Amino acid sequence: MHPADIKPTIADESAPTTRCRIMATASTFFHEIGYQKTTVADIARALKMSPANVYRFFDSKKAINEAVLERLIGEVEAMLIAIAERPGQTPTERLVAAIHALHRHGMERYERYPRIHEMVEAAMAESWDVCSEHVAKLTAVLERIIRDGVREGEFATSDPAAAAGCIHVGIARYTHPLLVGQPLQPPIPPLETMIAFLLRSLARP
Amino acid sequence: MHPADIKPTIADESAPTTRCRIMATASTFFHEIGYQKTTVADIARALKMSPANVYRFFDSKKAINEAVLERLIGEVEAMLIAIAERPGQTPTERLVAAIHALHRHGMERYERYPRIHEMVEAAMAESWDVCSEHVAKLTAVLERIIRDGVREGEFATSDPAAAAGCIHVGIARYTHPLLVGQPLQPPIPPLETMIAFLLRSLARP
């Protein structure tokens, strides 16, 4: 029997596992040979499945990419939430830590997986909602920290949600997956300078 | 005689003209079929020149791209300088106008020439100095406006150069050639909100 002809039984229990295996294999292909060059047939072959079986779980390569990115996004979000909830740190300290974490995470991911760009570019072209939701989730965590700061008298803003959106968009040059690989040399200010500039905007008058 | 065999006489007067013709033809190819797919042979053929003749003016496709981008960059710089020198406007008005002009120019260029991304990506990979110089030149114009604002008592900053760098980097999401094509919808704040946030950082205490 040809490996591609082996059809695993899809019980309720095994479905999530198969989904995970497809995502893990797809993620490896996307990182190693790139999103554009990977085909659903490649993923199926590596899993000894038929492409038709992969399509039972994901109706397109785009859908697999969305699932892979959602997992990555979930990791970043969890990292930010942990910083937002850190005990013993002031809101300013947590906001600065959150920005540094976004930058460092983006840089590390870029260095380890340069092809992540391709996945993100594909998502921005094909799955705008996933990207947009990601930005909204991270902005919401920044907003929580800013609200804490307003309550504790460290920050002044009449619109913490808008301020969080501006802080998030203001660090795009240091954190956006499509820009994070670009050299950070003058005339680009060091991230510390940019953070200080953005925090001035939140300062109490 | 085959067109490609016609060698134009390169007198001192004609050299700049030939350079310009090569740049104009290359620019058309880059915009229409893309930087990666264009070859020096394509450019030479369209100009009825030999590739060797093109290489007398530019030693690589990369060098042609640099020249084409430098011309585009010169246009953006001239546009910003005209805004910085506008009579009858306050520094705040000129700074806001400069930011809007950078955004509008980037959007228009993206809509008319989507392949500009490819040229910019190639430049960022192959000709970092050209990109870096461009950013420095535009930042310098923003700095001039900020210095005017400090002198006239509208802005407060102890380091106008750093503030200009932060304003410039802070609007990357709205003006960077690699991001300008992305939708500007919530959670991305409207440009006006971002400008107001950045200006607060320059406000007098």
Side-chain angles (χ1 to χ4, degrees), chain A residues 121 124 128 132 135-136 156 165-167 169-170 173-174 176 179 182-183 185-189 193-194 197-198 200-201 203, chain B residues 121 124 128 132 135-136 156 163 165-167 169-170 173-174 176 179 182-183 185-189 193-194 197-198 200-201 203:
Chain A
E121 275 184 333
M124 294 200 309
W128 181 250
S132 181
V135 176
C166 291
I167 296 267
V169 96
R173 177 63 181 76
Y174 307 87
H176 195 289
L179 298 184
Q182 298 303 317
Q185 290 155 4
I188 309 298
T193 306
M194 187 61 189
F197 187 84
L198 293 169
R200 253 193 90 177
S201 189
Chain B
E121 275 184 334
M124 292 199 310
W128 180 251
S132 183
V135 176
C166 291
I167 296 267
V169 96
R173 178 62 182 76
Y174 307 87
H176 195 290
L179 297 183
Q182 298 304 317
Q185 290 156 4
I188 307 298
T193 306
M194 188 61 190
F197 187 84
L198 293 169
R200 254 193 88 176
S201 190

Side-chain angles (χ1 to χ4, degrees), chain A residues 151-175:
Chain A
R151 202 171 40 242
E152 297 176 25
E154 271 182 38
F155 300 146
T157 171
S158 58
D159 189 343
C166 291
I167 296 267
H168 198 191
V169 96
I171 55 169
R173 177 63 181 76
Y174 307 87
T175 60

